[in-house]
Amino acid sequence: MSGKDFWSLRPIERLGIPSLNVSDGPTGLRSTNSDPATVFPVGVALAATWNPGLAHRMGEAIAREAIAYNVDVLLAPTINIQRTPLGGRNFESYSEDPFLAGEIATLFVQGVQSQGVGTSLKHFAANNQEHDRMTGSSNMGERVLREMYLSAFEATIRRASPWSVMSAYNRINGTYASENQFLLEQVLRKEWDYDGVVVSDWGATKSTIGSVNAGLDLEMPGPGRFYAESLKMAVASGEVSPAKIDEHVERILKLIERVGLLDGNPKRQRAAVNTAEHQTVARQVATEAIVLLKNENNALPIGTGNRIAVIGGAAHRPTIQGGGSSQVSPYRIISPLEALRKAWPDREVLYAQGVDHEVRAPVIDYRLLRDENGEEGLTARYYDNQSLDGDPVYTERDWRLLKLGFGKVGPLQGSTAFAVEWSGTLIPESTGAHEFMLSHSSPEADLTIDGVTLIGGEMPIEREKLFMFLTLNARSAGCHMVAGQSYALRMRYRQPADTDFPGFNLLKLSLRTPPPSVQDAIELASTSDVAIVFAAPGTTAETEGEDRKDMSLSKDQVELIESISARCRKTIVVLNSGSPVEMPWADHVDAIVQMWLPGQEGGYAIADILSGKVSPSGKLPVTFPRIYRDTPSFLHYPGGRQVDYGEGLFVGYRYFDKMEIEPLFPFGHGLTYTRFEIRDVSIPAKAALGDTVRLSLNVSNTGMRAGQDTVQVYIEDRATRETRPLRQLKSFEKIFLEAGESTSLSLDLGASAFTHYDIDEGKWLATPGSYLIHVGFSSVDLRQTIEINLYAD
Ligand code: BGC
């Protein structure tokens, strides 16, 4: 009932039960050895496609990569509701709306599990901020909990039966999720009839008896702290019954059986990593996720202008994913700049960085490095001892200098002493002060430049910080460097054997380069036909372990956008972020495009949209507020250890609608390059409570080109006297239509589309009376409204 190490369960050889392996996650398979896998767009981007079928395909692809890395259960998807725009893990989560989150999650889980790989639906529950994430209590009434924070879990569990669920770090109304009888026993097991494994988030188990009796099956990571000796003692003393242990063990065995381990793991032949097909899926998700927020004077797609200025560090070094446990080692990174140059081979596509947009020093750009054979990256040598004695046991070219778990010597994690040395040449692109930062989980690591030790010496290990994914043992040092010169770089990592704590190894080498010239960028933009400005919070800004401090882009970037829009004929801003940013410049630019954190193929995706090869079809899965102060949880966040969810049911658009606050861009919004219309909406005038009713309508593409749009159905409950949101999303469908084409759609609204959770009755109920059905292309762009009356049978 507890792990063997960080990523696997204990085998029981005497019974022929093999070890089961798990790994993250939501944006692709994270190899526990930091080996590469396809980096897909992050969760919020997947949700922005509003295309559950695509979520299925992404799930299948990630599962095949999991199989290739011998991973049986994928620790994904993350479906927590985006409650505050500052949430550090918003990028990983799907939406502010439980219905959309549930639809995407259901198909993602089905996709993964169709390949024989399990999923772990996380984090159960109400894990909506990183601030105080290990101890904070998410406090709210039962109706809010059920309707806003549990319903995406409920929908996914009922329809897709994920083989495991991960209990969250936080408390809910004072009780830790991993020992929460109400959540695990009452709701999950009894009401939802869940038969899978409940695994604790890494380090989220807080007790022995309380957790076992509440329903936590598995403590991770191993070796167990609460589910080891103390569990044996609790059984011996009678505080935990053997029958209870049997229940947990049976579920774990069932999981081992479900993933095929007892049948010799037949799924192995499906293994595949970074195939052309997986790249295509990653690209399609990234493309369909891109949201065209604003497009005036037909600024997009970019027409005939010859000289195109591409501005902003994110064009050349994009943020392809967020930070923390979901981080995948990429096979390749297609930058927007590179992809735009490929898309427009006959045009002048010129680049200027403009400003340094990074909050912290970013991971060193491998394009500045050469290994011992002159190729991009460094030469890595692995030794089976700490003193780098003898011949290396493994040598490779390595360019991914952010590692979440590695060590190619003996058992991957823990018990073996090993060391790695990376060496090669650094050739700076600019002259000036270069600031290096080395972060690592081992007690010893060093960095030398041209034989001089810049960073070195021993450090104590900060184990507790392991789960925060921040800068562990981070040390910085700078030196002056000259553009184009070669500097010998060597970095070493030494890990002693640690049998008490077979933790996992983390390492990151970051480099902040000298500031670029703003003037050059402005000059370039003002002498070009169009300026495409890539703006971003930065590669370290959105991460597990900490929330964002605010919703703004750096002052420098805001000023750069303002200066360029004042001088350039046409300014297009592309946002490379996982969450909304404030856009005080929104009225001054011609077009705004949200490209999210788009995964390794994101460059191709944005080039397809900007060049007009594909009509944009992404829709916002979260409201983009004008300013942070306008957001629903503004008065109730971060809340210290006690986080009162004072906005109640009014999360996201439910708040903006009710308060009549106009957001910058509403939930569900996203423009296309063509035009869609909705006609002939019909529904029966009456239906019995509990019936499924069919909504029919026609959609036409009345524009000049093919494209996709998403028909969205919001229900306004006028019958219930309880407090309730004005309108709630209850159905949607994405459709593709050629120019001039029409189609008819039928959307079924099941009983649950009309219910609210009734505290007194202790169940979901619908009130007899009138409901308005609004059909449109966003939560505020409602084209048709029709009424239905529900009567009690
Ligand atoms: C995260 C989980 C993740 C686990 C294992 C935790 O810190 O919260 O989402 O699955 O680590 O990496």
Side-chain angles (χ1 to χ4, degrees):
M1 288 170 60
S2 62
K4 178 175 75 159
D5 55 31
F6 247 78
W7 308 115
S8 58
L9 306 197
R10 290 169 198 279
I12 307 177
E13 273 145 29
R14 121 191 109 80
L15 300 175
I17 298 171
S19 169
L20 175 143
N21 298 323
V22 303
S23 192
D24 292 294
T27 48
L29 194 277
R30 174 153 79 88
S31 138
T32 53
N33 207 19
S34 294
D35 286 325
T38 309
V39 185
F40 291 86
V42 298
V44 70
L46 176 61
T49 67
W50 290 59
N51 187 342
L54 208 44
H56 194 282
R57 285 176 57 203
M58 177 165 141
E60 284 171 50
I62 297 178
R64 285 191 291 264
E65 305 210 351
I67 296 166
Y69 281 115
N70 204 17
V71 166
D72 306 297
V73 175
L74 185 76
L75 306 174
T78 305
I79 65 164
N80 297 109
I81 294 300
Q82 297 194 32
R83 173 179 175 249
T84 162
L86 303 185
R89 285 181 98 166
N90 282 7
F91 70 86
E92 205 181 310
S93 321
Y94 291 148
S95 176
E96 68 188 21
D97 181 82
F99 180 79
L100 176 60
E103 293 295 299
I104 299 287
T106 296
L107 273 287
F108 182 90
V109 167
Q110 286 170 343
V112 174
Q113 295 191 165
S114 69
Q115 303 302 302
V117 172
T119 52
S120 201
L121 199 63
K122 68 191 191 185
H123 307 85
F124 194 58
N127 180 204
N128 311 102
Q129 64 186 49
E130 292 301 279
H131 181 84
D132 254 326
R133 73 166 175 157
M134 298 287 188
T135 49
S137 178
S138 306
N139 301 331
M140 70 199 89
E142 188 179 344
R143 178 163 171 223
V144 174
L145 180 64
R146 299 261 191 181
E147 291 191 15
M148 291 311 301
Y149 298 98
L150 297 184
S151 65
F153 283 95
E154 177 170 7
T156 312
I157 286 169
R158 289 196 192 276
R159 284 185 297 158
S161 301
W163 296 343
S164 75
V165 165
M166 187 185 290
S167 63
Y169 283 129
N170 53 285
R171 293 177 289 159
I172 296 101
N173 294 325
T175 307
Y176 279 109
S178 300
E179 55 185 24
N180 199 308
Q181 198 102 35
F182 170 73
L183 267 189
L184 303 184
E185 187 66 25
Q186 172 64 30
V187 176
L188 184 64
R189 298 289 180 202
K190 292 213 174 101
E191 292 179 25
W192 302 350
D193 224 4
Y194 182 62
D195 70 348
V197 166
V198 178
V199 53
S200 71
D201 195 347
W202 270 229
T205 312
K206 306 285 178 174
S207 62
T208 304
I209 300 164
S211 304
V212 173
N213 288 336
L216 178 75
D217 299 306
L218 179 63
E219 177 188 6
M220 283 304 275
R225 283 211 273 179
F226 296 98
Y227 277 20
E229 277 312 304
S230 51
L231 181 53
K232 276 193 201 161
M233 280 158 57
V235 174
S237 68
E239 283 161 300
V240 169
S241 70
K244 197 82 205 163
I245 299 288
D246 285 348
E247 261 178 43
H248 292 297
V249 169
E250 204 178 311
R251 291 191 199 115
I252 296 170
L253 286 174
K254 190 175 201 162
L255 178 63
I256 292 172
E257 188 179 24
R258 278 175 160 161
V259 302
L261 282 174
L262 300 183
D263 310 328
N265 212 352
K267 59 184 185 282
R268 284 219 178 90
Q269 58 274 31
R270 288 186 218 126
V273 186
N274 196 38
T275 55
E277 192 197 334
H278 294 186
Q279 288 171 5
T280 304
V281 176
R283 178 171 175 168
Q284 195 179 339
V285 176
T287 310
E288 287 202 20
I290 292 171
V291 184
L292 179 57
L293 294 171
K294 168 179 175 173
N295 192 17
E296 263 169 25
N297 318 317
N298 291 325
L300 286 173
I302 289 171
T304 41
N306 267 332
R307 195 171 142 104
I308 297 165
V310 176
I311 313 282
H316 186 40
R317 295 182 182 126
T319 310
I320 64 164
Q321 57 185 326
S325 60
S326 66
Q327 209 147 340
V328 178
S329 279
Y331 258 99
R332 59 178 194 179
I333 300 169
I334 312 296
S335 77
L337 181 62
E338 191 186 337
L340 285 169
R341 285 187 168 143
K342 276 193 189 160
W344 289 312
D346 308 330
R347 300 193 197 175
E348 253 186 300
V349 179
L350 301 166
Y351 170 71
Q353 188 184 343
V355 298
D356 181 348
H357 68 286
E358 297 285 2
V359 192
R360 299 191 188 96
V363 174
I364 192 165
D365 184 344
Y366 65 91
R367 291 168 292 191
L368 304 177
L369 301 169
R370 296 288 175 275
D371 75 353
E372 289 171 5
N373 300 317
E375 287 189 54
E376 282 176 347
L378 296 171
T379 304
R381 294 193 171 81
Y382 287 76
Y383 294 86
D384 60 5
N385 58 75
Q386 261 191 283
S387 41
L388 300 107
D389 285 339
D391 288 336
V393 292
Y394 188 84
T395 303
E396 67 176 359
R397 177 175 80 90
D398 189 4
W399 56 270
R400 304 171 192 91
L401 299 172
L402 165 58
K403 311 263 178 209
L404 299 182
F406 66 101
K408 294 230 162 57
V409 186
L412 294 183
Q413 320 298 339
S415 53
T416 318
F418 75 94
V420 195
E421 182 180 84
W422 290 265
S423 54
T425 310
L426 170 65
I427 308 167
E429 276 173 352
S430 43
T431 300
H434 283 66
E435 188 77 18
F436 293 85
M437 188 172 85
L438 187 60
S439 328
H440 52 99
S441 59
S442 67
E444 250 189 290
D446 58 53
L447 174 73
T448 66
I449 300 286
D450 272 349
V452 177
T453 303
L454 224 52
I455 299 171
E458 279 196 36
M459 301 274 300
I461 312 181
E462 298 174 275
R463 283 180 180 162
E464 290 311 317
K465 269 202 182 170
L466 268 183
F467 298 113
M468 302 308 288
F469 293 100
L470 295 175
T471 40
L472 273 163
N473 283 350
R475 291 172 292 168
S476 301
C479 64
H480 181 86
M481 294 184 140
V482 178
Q485 281 199 11
S486 292
Y487 297 85
L489 182 149
R490 192 198 69 195
M491 176 172 68
R492 291 189 298 205
Y493 180 95
R494 293 196 176 88
Q495 176 62 54
D498 188 348
T499 40
D500 295 341
F501 185 77
F504 76 118
N505 299 291
L506 305 176
L507 171 99
K508 183 162 73 167
L509 176 63
S510 311
L511 172 63
R512 191 186 283 284
T513 49
S517 154
V518 187
Q519 275 321 314
D520 286 358
I522 296 174
E523 176 68 30
L524 172 64
S526 38
T527 53
S528 299
D529 299 296
V530 51
I532 310 172
V533 186
F534 283 80
T539 49
T540 63
E542 294 172 87
T543 181
E544 180 176 341
E546 77 180 14
D547 287 338
R548 286 195 296 164
K549 284 176 194 55
D550 52 43
M551 242 179 69
S552 38
L553 285 172
S554 64
K555 195 164 149 278
D556 287 355
Q557 289 186 88
V558 171
E559 284 170 8
L560 179 69
I561 294 170
E562 294 285 14
S563 309
I564 289 179
S565 64
R567 288 175 182 78
C568 188
R569 251 172 289 155
K570 202 187 269 183
T571 305
I572 292 153
V573 176
V574 178
L575 292 163
N576 177 203
S577 70
S579 327
V581 294
E582 289 171 356
M583 307 180 207
W585 38 263
D587 288 342
H588 311 154
V589 302
D590 300 281
I592 308 173
V593 183
Q594 179 67 34
M595 84 164 195
W596 309 108
L597 309 179
Q600 65 177 40
E601 308 293 319
Y604 286 142
I606 192 69
D608 283 350
I609 297 293
L610 298 178
S611 68
K613 191 171 163 208
V614 178
S615 170
S617 68
K619 296 275 180 179
L620 290 181
V622 283
T623 306
F624 274 31
R626 230 167 250 289
I627 45 170
Y628 173 57
R629 198 175 54 233
D630 281 352
T631 61
S633 58
F634 176 71
L635 293 177
H636 315 283
Y637 167 88
R641 297 255 156 113
Q642 297 295 329
V643 192
D644 293 325
Y645 283 36
E647 70 284 6
L649 299 168
F650 301 97
V651 178
Y653 66 90
R654 289 164 170 80
Y655 176 80
F656 288 85
D657 284 352
K658 193 81 173 184
M659 295 291 288
E660 297 182 13
I661 296 173
E662 202 190 320
L664 185 55
F665 299 110
F667 176 83
H669 171 72
L671 306 171
T672 70
Y673 291 156
T674 177
R675 201 170 50 240
F676 287 84
E677 275 165 34
I678 294 172
R679 283 198 204 94
D680 310 325
V681 176
S682 70
I683 198 163
K686 282 191 212 154
L689 283 175
D691 280 359
T692 293
V693 286
R694 177 158 289 189
L695 177 74
S696 316
L697 52 104
N698 288 314
V699 200
S700 329
N701 177 352
T702 55
M704 304 299 285
R705 52 168 297 164
Q708 297 190 86
D709 208 331
T710 299
V711 174
Q712 304 167 31
V713 180
Y714 295 84
I715 299 191
E716 180 177 341
D717 175 349
R718 302 205 297 176
T720 313
R721 300 187 71 102
E722 305 286 341
T723 302
R724 64 195 187 279
L726 191 57
R727 292 181 290 266
Q728 307 194 72
L729 179 73
K730 293 296 173 183
S731 181
F732 63 87
E733 188 148 331
K734 188 168 193 169
I735 35 147
F736 173 88
L737 290 176
E738 296 289 350
E741 202 189 347
S742 297
T743 189
S744 55
L745 273 189
S746 294
L747 300 169
D748 283 341
L749 298 170
S752 63
F754 301 93
T755 54
H756 66 279
Y757 192 81
D758 188 298
I759 303 281
D760 297 312
E761 299 289 327
K763 55 182 177 208
W764 291 91
L765 282 182
T767 316
S770 158
Y771 292 77
L772 294 184
I773 317 290
H774 303 275
V775 188
F777 293 117
S778 89
S779 61
V780 303
D781 179 12
L782 303 168
R783 304 285 177 93
Q784 304 255 322
T785 298
I786 190 165
E787 186 184 5
I788 184 169
N789 271 284
L790 298 185
Y791 56 87
D793 237 347

